[in-house]
Amino acid sequence: MSSSQRAEGSHGFFKQYISRRNSLMDFIIRFERALSHQRQKELVADHVDAFEVAQCILPMPMNKQMATLYTRTMFQKFEQELIQSTACFLELKTEDTSKVVFNVSERKNWKTRVAEVVYVKDSDHASCSCKRFEFVGIICKHILALFRRDQIEYMPDKYILKRWKKTAKSGLVSDANGNEIKDSADPGLLIKRSTMSRLASDVVEDALMSEEGCELLSETLKSLQEKLKLLKDGPSNNEVGGSNSETQYMKYPKRVRCKGRSKRVTGAKEKAMKRGIRHCRECGHIGHDRRQCPRNLNTP
């Protein structure tokens, strides 16, 4: 069930960029563009989680605690569960020396739904029949209602999964041999790289529409590559004031065809005057044509 939903989610994501009418080259370009957009959104989300704190709707200590730990997306889901827990009612079902069972009822859309929450005393662990914590990874509203009944103000650490925390990407990463892999990438540098990659992808896609665009982009990239190489190497001794043994020749600039001034739009009357004065074919006089000639009008 999980693998099927994951595949459907991937299909829904790539359908925004790819269609069955795309060629193989278009498919590769659009596929890379989709991945670039996805990485861009992830970097923006990481930046928001690192430098911003979500606003809490409920002024509760647990809600403020999870706002500082969870990512923005997961905190919004948790806060909705916390808000819905205020409408849940607990009823003691059974209790013995090892566990306590509660029936948690919720009335929604004129229907009452009941879930079963089991609290194990020895392990100090609560589980729910809805299995939301096992499936999604966040505490459900039924267990939160139990916490509110027992006046638990802060979330226990065992219910906070690391994969939904802001620090999920921080930690030790080892290779196949067990050696630590250190990530020295700057988050700001990653954001710049993602932005420029997205811009370059859009430019390449526009240039592939015509041969002139491909040639223009190729020449521009070669010129830009030379300038970046000079910028990377820095000013040399020859540029500062030293002498260069090699003779450098200046090339003539490329000729650009001048468009010039556009021609003025002329009317029909002016065009007729340029062609010359028209004479009537019947009488040879000026000022009328054959249809308006007096000879034809006077003829019975």
Side-chain angles (χ1 to χ4, degrees):
M1 181 176 180
S2 177
S3 61
S4 176
Q5 290 182 350
R6 189 175 304 171
E8 291 176 0
S10 300
H11 294 166
F13 170 75
F14 286 109
K15 281 182 180 179
Q16 302 175 6
Y17 303 89
I18 300 171
S19 65
R20 65 179 66 183
R21 293 186 296 271
N22 296 136
S23 62
L24 180 59
M25 181 61 67
D26 292 338
F27 169 78
I28 295 175
I29 295 175
R30 293 177 181 272
F31 182 82
E32 293 179 352
R33 187 176 183 181
L35 294 181
S36 178
H37 289 181
Q38 190 178 34
R39 295 189 184 102
Q40 174 69 16
K41 292 180 181 179
E42 184 178 358
L43 290 174
V44 172
D46 292 342
H47 182 271
V48 171
D49 293 335
F51 298 99
E52 298 181 10
V53 179
Q55 298 294 329
C56 299
I57 299 177
L58 297 179
M60 300 174 60
M62 184 179 295
N63 200 26
K64 296 179 180 179
Q65 174 195 7
M66 305 314 295
T68 58
L69 295 179
Y70 275 159
T71 61
R72 178 66 61 88
T73 304
M74 296 309 300
F75 171 72
Q76 292 175 354
K77 295 181 179 180
F78 169 79
E79 192 173 35
Q80 290 298 321
E81 294 290 329
L82 187 61
I83 294 174
Q84 295 176 7
S85 67
T86 58
C88 296
F89 301 94
L90 277 78
E91 181 183 358
L92 181 61
K93 184 178 180 181
T94 58
E95 183 178 3
D96 52 23
T97 57
S98 60
K99 64 181 180 180
V100 183
V101 181
F102 295 91
N103 283 337
V104 183
S105 60
E106 178 192 9
R107 189 170 180 82
K108 187 176 182 181
N109 296 331
W110 305 101
K111 294 182 180 180
T112 302
R113 299 180 180 180
V114 181
E116 187 177 89
V117 177
V118 180
Y119 173 71
V120 182
K121 297 180 180 180
D122 296 336
S123 60
D124 191 19
H125 181 77
S127 60
C128 183
S129 59
C130 68
K131 301 297 181 181
R132 183 170 180 80
F133 179 72
E134 290 79 3
F135 186 75
V136 181
I138 59 176
I139 289 294
C140 64
K141 51 191 172 184
H142 311 111
I143 300 179
L144 290 175
L146 176 62
F147 288 168
R148 191 181 71 256
R149 172 185 175 275
D150 296 340
Q151 297 182 357
I152 300 176
E153 296 184 350
Y154 294 96
M155 180 71 68
D157 295 337
K158 56 184 175 182
Y159 298 109
I160 304 175
L161 300 183
K162 183 180 178 181
R163 60 181 177 181
W164 303 135
K165 297 173 67 175
K166 297 179 181 179
T167 58
K169 294 184 179 181
S170 63
L172 299 178
V173 181
S174 303
D175 57 7
N177 299 326
N179 300 322
E180 179 184 355
I181 300 176
K182 296 183 179 181
D183 186 10
S184 59
D186 186 9
L189 183 61
L190 293 177
I191 294 177
K192 293 179 181 178
R193 180 177 182 179
S194 177
T195 304
M196 289 187 291
S197 299
R198 181 177 179 180
L199 178 61
S201 177
D202 296 340
V203 172
V204 171
E205 187 173 355
D206 294 338
L208 290 175
M209 298 300 177
S210 61
E211 294 294 336
E212 294 80 2
C214 294
E215 294 179 359
L216 177 62
L217 180 61
S218 179
E219 294 177 359
T220 305
L221 290 178
K222 289 180 181 179
S223 176
L224 182 60
Q225 186 178 13
E226 294 177 358
K227 293 180 181 180
L228 291 176
K229 186 178 181 181
L230 294 176
L231 183 62
K232 180 180 178 180
D233 297 338
S236 58
N237 296 329
N238 297 331
E239 295 178 354
V240 174
S243 60
N244 190 1
S245 58
E246 298 180 358
T247 304
Q248 298 181 358
Y249 296 95
M250 297 292 293
K251 296 182 179 181
Y252 290 102
K254 296 181 179 180
R255 294 183 178 181
V256 180
R257 183 178 180 182
C258 183
K259 296 182 179 179
R261 183 173 60 88
S262 60
K263 295 182 179 180
R264 185 173 60 88
V265 179
T266 57
K269 186 176 180 181
E270 189 176 355
K271 292 180 180 179
M273 293 177 64
K274 290 182 179 180
R275 288 197 298 264
I277 300 175
R278 300 179 63 180
H279 297 265
C280 179
R281 295 183 180 181
E282 294 291 336
C283 62
H285 293 285
I286 304 172
H288 60 273
D289 56 4
R290 185 177 181 182
R291 295 173 297 177
Q292 301 175 355
C293 183
R295 291 184 179 180
N296 295 334
L297 296 176
N298 295 331
T299 302

